[in-house]
C-alpha cells in the first residue's frame, strides 16, 4: 500500500498513468504513418518503418515529445491530426475517482508530463482533468524531458517540494529511475498503461498500481 501519511506532494504523469495510452500508441503507430504514406506516395509499411526509425533515434529526448519537431520532420500538422481524432482520448479505469479522492485528501497535486502543450490542451478539453490539479507542468516549459536530471532540478526551482515526502506515479520506468536518482521518496509505476495490450508483469523495480481502487489516498492528518 502507498504510505499516504508520509506524502504531502503528489506528482502524476498523464499518458499511460491517468489517461489510456492506447490513444497515443494508436495515433503514432497508425494515424501518423497512414497520413505520411498518403502525402508522400508510400505504402503504409514503408511509412511505418521510416517513422519508427526516426522516433527511435529521438526516444527519451524532448524532441521525442515535441509536436512542433515532428510536424517539421514529417511535413504534417501533427497537432491538427491529433485534434481530428481526439474523441478516442479517455481516462484509465478508476483514474478519475482516484483524482477526486486525491483532491479531497488535501494534498498538493501536480501533473508532470512530457506531453507537448498542444497535446495537453487537447486532452484537457476532452477530459477536464485540470480541475483536479494545483499545477500542470510540461517538460517543454522546463526545457528537459522527465528522464533527465535537469528536469528534476528545474522542477525544484519552479515548484519547490520536499523530495522525501513526495510520490511520483508514472508508467515510464526511465522516468521513475530519474525520480529515484533525484531522491523522490515514493515511486510507483502503472501495471496496465495501454488497455489494448496485456498488463506488464510484476518484474520492474518499482511497485505497480493495477487498480486505483486499491490505493485510494487517506485524508491529510493534522499536525
Amino acid at each position: 500500500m502507498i504510505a499516504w501519511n508520509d506524502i504531502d506532494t503528489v506528482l502524476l504523469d498523464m499518458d499511460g498513468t491517468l489517461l489510456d495510452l492506447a490513444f497515443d500508441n494508436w495515433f503514432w503507430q497508425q494515424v501518423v504513418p497512414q497520413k505520411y504514406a498518403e502525402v508522400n506516395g508510400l505504402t503504409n509499411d514503408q511509412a511505418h518503418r521510416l517513422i519508427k526509425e526516426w522516433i527511435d533515434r529521438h526516444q527519451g529526448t524532448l524532441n521525442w515529445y515535441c509536436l512542433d519537431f515532428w510536424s517539421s520532420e514529417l511535413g504534417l500538422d501533427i497537432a491538427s491530426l491529433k485534434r481530428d481524432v481526439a474523441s478516442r482520448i479517455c481516462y484509465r479505469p478508476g483514474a478519475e475517482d482516484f483524482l477526486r479522492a486525491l483532491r479531497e485528501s488535501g494534498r498538493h497535486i501536480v501533473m508532470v508530463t512530457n506531453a507537448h502543450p498542444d497535446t495537453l490542451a487537447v486532452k484537457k478539453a476532452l477530459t477536464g482533468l485540470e480541475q483536479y490539479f494545483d499545477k500542470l507542468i510540461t517538460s517543454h516549459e522546463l526545457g528537459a524531458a522527465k528522464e533527465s536530471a535537469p528536469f528534476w532540478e528545474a522542477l525544484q526551482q519552479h515548484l519547490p517540494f520536499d523530495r522525501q515526502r513526495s510520490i511520483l506515479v508514472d508508467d515510464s520506468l526511465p522516468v521513475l529511475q530519474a525520480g529515484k536518482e533525484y531522491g523522490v521518496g515514493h515511486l510507483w509505476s502503472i501495471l496496465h498503461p495501454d488497455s489494448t495490450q496485456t498488463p506488464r508483469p510484476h518484474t520492474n523495480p518499482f511497485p505497480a498500481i493495477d487498480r486505483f481502487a486499491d490505493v485510494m489516498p487517506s485524508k491529510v492528518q493534522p499536525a
Side-chain angles (χ1 to χ4, degrees):
M1 291 296 295
I2 294 174
W4 288 113
N5 289 339
D6 299 329
I7 295 167
D8 299 321
T9 300
V10 183
L11 304 171
L12 295 174
D13 174 49
M14 182 171 66
D15 300 317
T17 298
L18 299 173
L19 303 185
D20 195 337
L21 196 61
F23 170 80
D24 301 273
N25 287 338
W26 167 76
F27 180 77
W28 286 103
Q29 294 170 14
Q30 296 188 45
V31 176
V32 173
Q34 286 172 6
K35 187 64 175 179
Y36 187 78
E38 175 188 324
V39 168
N40 292 280
L42 302 173
T43 67
N44 286 343
D45 286 345
Q46 288 171 325
H48 187 276
R49 185 168 59 253
L50 284 170
I51 291 172
K52 185 178 185 305
E53 289 172 358
W54 280 331
I55 288 175
D56 287 349
R57 283 202 298 271
H58 294 277
Q59 189 165 5
T61 70
L62 204 55
N63 281 344
W64 201 64
Y65 304 101
C66 183
L67 301 194
D68 298 327
F69 173 80
W70 289 114
S71 293
S72 176
E73 285 286 293
L74 302 176
L76 301 174
D77 187 342
I78 300 297
S80 179
L81 272 179
K82 189 163 285 193
R83 287 191 293 269
D84 288 345
V85 296
S87 61
R88 293 181 63 146
I89 294 168
C90 64
Y91 281 100
R92 293 187 57 252
E96 197 164 14
D97 288 339
F98 178 69
L99 285 170
R100 290 192 190 98
L102 276 175
R103 183 79 279 165
E104 293 169 3
S105 79
R107 290 174 175 82
H108 192 220
I109 310 167
V110 181
M111 176 185 288
V112 286
T113 176
N114 276 328
H116 186 275
D118 288 345
T119 294
L120 179 57
V122 169
K123 294 185 176 182
K124 282 166 52 179
L126 262 292
T127 66
L129 53 73
E130 70 274 13
Q131 67 188 294
Y132 302 112
F133 290 89
D134 297 298
K135 188 75 173 176
L136 305 176
I137 296 175
T138 73
S139 56
H140 299 267
E141 293 176 62
L142 303 186
K146 291 190 297 179
E147 292 89 332
S148 67
F151 171 87
W152 295 98
E153 293 161 1
L155 180 64
Q156 185 67 254
Q157 292 295 316
H158 185 75
L159 189 75
F161 62 98
D162 184 333
R163 304 180 203 190
Q164 282 302 308
R165 292 191 60 82
S166 297
I167 183 173
L168 170 65
V169 184
D170 203 297
D171 68 306
S172 167
L173 301 186
V175 169
L176 289 167
Q177 183 60 38
K180 178 180 179 180
E181 291 169 3
Y182 188 68
V184 177
H186 305 266
L187 299 150
W188 283 71
S189 64
I190 296 294
L191 197 63
H192 201 185
D194 181 335
S195 63
T196 65
Q197 298 180 5
T198 57
R200 296 167 171 173
H202 285 275
T203 56
N204 75 68
F206 303 101
I209 296 171
D210 184 11
R211 300 189 321 133
F212 281 116
D214 296 333
V215 293
M216 285 296 187
S218 59
K219 298 279 188 182
V220 170
Q221 297 300 310

